[in-house]
Amino acid sequence: NSELGFTFAHPRLLHLREGISLPDNFDPYPNLGIKVDTKVVNKFKDKYNLVKYNPSRNLAKVALLCMVNAKSEKAAKDAINYKLYKDRAKIGNRVRECKVKFAGLPKNIDVQAIIDKIKEHNKHIAHWFNKGVGLELQNIDGKIMSFVINGI
């Protein structure tokens, strides 16, 4: 039994497209500098028996994917705001609350600041954001997985 990992597939694919090979320790998700309510996070982790839970990192991941998939910055911003809204709606729902990604984040988040931090942190690929390349990257990712499954 073996397992292959392809961490941060879309950011890595975009860097490769630019001819940039990332070091193994590169993390495309920057520290967003958002003040997290650690009491809320710890209560959430305890309630759902979670060892790892980082709502700020979760937001960075979701935001980056929105920026890769969106066709404009406004669409990315709207998508990120929608994800935040939908996540908050899960709180108090006994079935869905365990899937909350952003517990402990403040209600008023400056989404534009998040977008700007992600663009700066990923400056070599920022010009690919908000161009709608997500489906193309999913296709490439699928071909890689097909090769791995069928070719090994």
Side-chain angles (χ1 to χ4, degrees):
N1 202 3
S2 66
E3 182 180 319
L4 271 167
F6 195 47
T7 311
F8 321 127
H10 291 175
R12 283 196 184 276
L13 288 171
L14 289 173
H15 277 90
L16 287 172
R17 185 176 272 184
E18 294 300 313
I20 300 168
S21 182
L22 295 172
D24 289 340
N25 65 348
F26 177 78
D27 187 350
Y29 312 116
N31 179 340
L32 299 176
I34 297 173
K35 184 161 174 50
V36 177
D37 186 333
T38 54
K39 286 182 183 179
V40 171
V41 170
N42 289 332
K43 184 177 176 182
F44 186 80
K45 285 170 67 175
D46 289 346
K47 183 175 182 177
Y48 293 105
N49 232 4
L50 301 171
V51 177
K52 290 172 118 184
Y53 184 80
N54 184 335
S56 181
R57 182 171 171 77
N58 292 344
L59 180 56
K61 288 179 180 183
V62 167
L64 191 144
L65 286 176
C66 288
M67 293 164 67
V68 166
N69 285 296
K71 292 184 179 179
S72 71
E73 190 164 297
K74 181 187 180 326
K77 200 172 181 178
D78 289 348
I80 296 164
N81 276 315
Y82 182 74
K83 297 279 187 183
L84 287 163
Y85 167 78
K86 290 298 279 186
D87 195 68
R88 286 186 197 106
K90 295 175 189 171
I91 296 171
N93 180 314
R94 287 187 300 161
V95 176
R96 295 176 39 207
E97 186 176 74
C98 63
K99 296 180 181 175
V100 167
K101 292 182 188 226
F102 313 129
L105 293 184
K107 286 191 176 20
N108 297 322
I109 293 176
D110 184 351
V111 173
Q112 185 62 55
I114 291 168
I115 288 171
D116 293 343
K117 283 182 183 178
I118 291 171
K119 286 193 320 195
E120 179 169 333
H121 186 73
N122 292 279
K123 60 184 168 263
H124 300 296
I125 60 169
H127 60 279
W128 288 107
F129 296 158
N130 310 314
K131 303 278 194 251
V133 297
L135 287 176
E136 180 185 345
L137 295 173
Q138 287 175 29
N139 186 334
I140 294 168
D141 191 21
K143 287 178 181 175
I144 292 169
M145 293 313 300
S146 178
F147 175 77
V148 169
I149 292 168
N150 298 320
I152 292 180

